[in-house]
Amino acid sequence: MDGIIIIAVIVAVCVYFRRFDKGVYGVAIVDIFLRIFNYLITHVKIDGITEYLTKYLPKSIPAVIKHYTSDIVCDLLIWAYVIIMGIFLFYTIKAFIKKK
């Protein structure tokens, strides 16, 4: 279930924002959101809601990749994720320096 949600969100972001840089920002936003939400879920316990969210909401994009793939496919997708995050870091540094 979580894999379908992540893939649908990433595809929707990439289709909606047809430019490459917007797609990179979209993937990074989704991953950062999942990581923050996962932190909140694990540290703020709300009966009933916490169990439901931990069951259906993935921890991060790499967690979904590792859960649904194995071996070489997993390695390739994780490397693609690392490259996308590297590009995101480049765009973020470029924007930071440009705004200075």
Side-chain angles (χ1 to χ4, degrees):
M1 180 71 171
D2 53 352
I4 296 169
I5 293 170
I6 289 293
I7 291 171
V9 168
I10 290 174
V11 168
V13 165
C14 291
V15 168
Y16 184 73
F17 301 114
R18 295 180 187 228
R19 292 179 41 200
F20 178 72
D21 59 336
K22 300 293 184 181
V24 169
Y25 281 122
V27 170
I29 289 168
V30 168
D31 191 54
I32 292 169
F33 169 77
L34 289 174
R35 289 175 187 267
I36 290 172
F37 211 72
N38 182 46
Y39 180 82
L40 291 174
I41 289 170
T42 57
H43 288 82
V44 178
K45 305 282 186 194
I46 301 172
D47 293 335
I49 296 175
T50 302
E51 293 82 20
Y52 180 77
L53 291 177
T54 54
K55 183 177 179 183
Y56 291 111
L57 194 66
K59 293 181 179 184
S60 65
I61 293 176
V64 173
I65 292 171
K66 290 177 184 175
H67 185 265
Y68 288 103
T69 61
S70 62
D71 297 333
I72 191 73
V73 176
C74 180
D75 290 339
L76 290 174
L77 289 175
I78 292 293
W79 274 107
Y81 169 79
V82 169
I83 290 169
I84 288 172
M85 284 303 175
I87 294 168
F88 170 71
L89 180 62
F90 171 75
Y91 285 150
T92 305
I93 292 170
K94 183 176 147 184
F96 179 72
I97 291 172
K98 193 179 214 182
K99 299 287 182 185
K100 191 176 180 185

